[in-house]
Amino acid sequence: AQGKRGVEFFIFGGLTGRLVGYNALLQGQFKDSVYTLDANQLNRTILEFQVGPVISFPLSKSRRLGIGYLFSGRTAEFSGPFERTHSWGSLSITIGRPPVIN
């Protein structure tokens, strides 16, 4: 029955790739900028990832509390002395109805 599930735990993840042909912000959207990069300074392949755990607790027969953490990141978009991979995290708390499982 729907209301009888106890604590649930799972881990999720994803990986995506992007090919960049032209980056207007880095290559010349602002023509007079000293920060404009040459095409050979750009990384044309960008990888992005997401991974995290989620734990879900029953609050009642029709409600569950979910707590999750998402860790995300992206490889560097250009090369040079300031090149770096960016990463960040976020915490989520949800209260809702569990999905109906037949």
Side-chain angles (χ1 to χ4, degrees), residues 17-94:
R18 241 181 345 129
L19 294 176
V20 179
Y22 180 79
N23 186 325
L25 184 61
L26 296 177
Q27 287 183 264
Q29 177 179 0
F30 304 108
K31 296 291 183 193
D32 296 330
S33 174
V34 297
Y35 301 107
T36 300
L37 300 177
D38 292 329
N40 63 354
Q41 293 176 289
L42 294 181
N43 295 327
R44 299 296 180 179
T45 305
I46 309 295
L47 294 176
E48 298 176 347
F49 67 88
Q50 306 83 33
V51 65
V54 174
I55 189 164
S56 174
F57 304 94
L59 293 176
S60 67
K61 286 186 177 184
S62 63
R63 297 272 187 233
R64 292 188 69 84
L65 169 68
I67 301 171
Y69 180 74
L70 173 66
F71 180 67
S72 302
R74 173 186 292 173
T75 58
E77 295 192 44
F78 60 89
S79 57
F82 299 106
E83 174 182 356
R84 66 181 180 152
T85 297
H86 297 277
S87 58
W88 58 94
S90 62
L91 180 67
S92 65
I93 299 173
T94 58

